[in-house]
Amino acid sequence: MDIRMPNLDGIEATRRIAATGTSPSILILTTFDLDDYVYEALRAGAGGFLLKDARAEELCEAVRLAAAGDALLSPAITRKLIESYTRRPPASTHPAQLAELTPRELEVLTLVARGLSNADIARELVVGDATVKTHVARIFSKLDLHDRAHAVVVAYESGLVQPGTA
């Protein structure tokens, strides 16, 4: 998906596709690395964001990751997101949106936001992979999330996870 398209911009097109509930993987490929575009694309349901100057190998890998349901942000975008989050004051309480989550779901969301896979989370929490998948599915349902990238955004924006914390 491109950000700027005739008739309908890529963010609105992404939002409409994501709203169908079919959960397609949407990868944004654009020349524009403006923070607002990145945030809005992820909020709209995009699972990845690459700049058009990405190497062919990076683009192929991004498509493979998106098809597998994983997320990818170009390194330049990731760096800008981290810089943006580090400038924010820490949140003292979790917003009402996270109040629906159980303590274990908050723990799982925190680990998702830190980049752990389901298998890694299972090892960390000493539970089975199926248990982690159940927790992740419930988190996505309760918070109306599209994918792991969206979960990461929510975790950081809510203050559940702070940049630089282990």
Side-chain angles (χ1 to χ4, degrees):
M1 184 75 64
D2 198 352
I3 292 287
R4 292 192 181 167
M5 302 186 305
N7 302 324
L8 184 68
D9 70 73
I11 293 172
E12 182 59 27
T14 298
R15 188 175 290 112
R16 290 181 186 183
I17 292 168
T20 65
T22 58
S23 299
S25 298
I26 300 171
L27 178 65
I28 302 289
L29 183 64
T30 186
T31 57
F32 306 101
D33 69 344
L34 302 174
D35 291 350
D36 289 343
Y37 286 147
V38 176
Y39 294 132
E40 286 306 309
L42 293 174
R43 283 187 191 106
F49 199 101
L50 280 181
L51 299 178
K52 286 186 178 176
D53 66 356
R55 295 187 327 262
E57 302 83 32
E58 291 173 315
L59 179 57
C60 290
E61 182 62 14
V63 170
R64 277 194 278 289
L65 287 169
D70 289 329
L72 176 85
L73 298 173
S74 74
I77 298 297
T78 302
R79 191 170 34 259
K80 287 180 83 171
L81 284 173
I82 290 171
E83 288 170 3
S84 172
Y85 284 121
T86 58
R87 289 190 299 266
R88 287 183 173 191
S92 57
T93 60
H94 302 309
Q97 181 183 29
L98 296 185
E100 295 181 41
L101 301 181
T102 67
R104 182 59 119 185
E105 289 166 346
L106 284 169
E107 190 174 14
V108 170
L109 178 58
T110 300
L111 296 172
V112 167
R114 291 190 179 138
L116 275 68
S117 68
N118 286 354
D120 293 335
I121 294 170
R123 279 191 293 280
E124 175 85 14
L125 300 178
V126 192
V127 297
D129 288 352
T131 301
V132 173
K133 287 180 185 178
T134 299
H135 285 307
V136 170
R138 287 183 181 153
I139 292 165
F140 279 33
S141 175
K142 288 179 178 181
L143 300 181
D144 193 30
L145 302 175
H146 306 289
D147 53 35
R148 290 175 93 89
H150 195 187
V152 171
V153 169
V154 167
Y156 276 90
E157 284 185 341
S158 70
L160 180 64
V161 176
Q162 296 295 316
T165 57

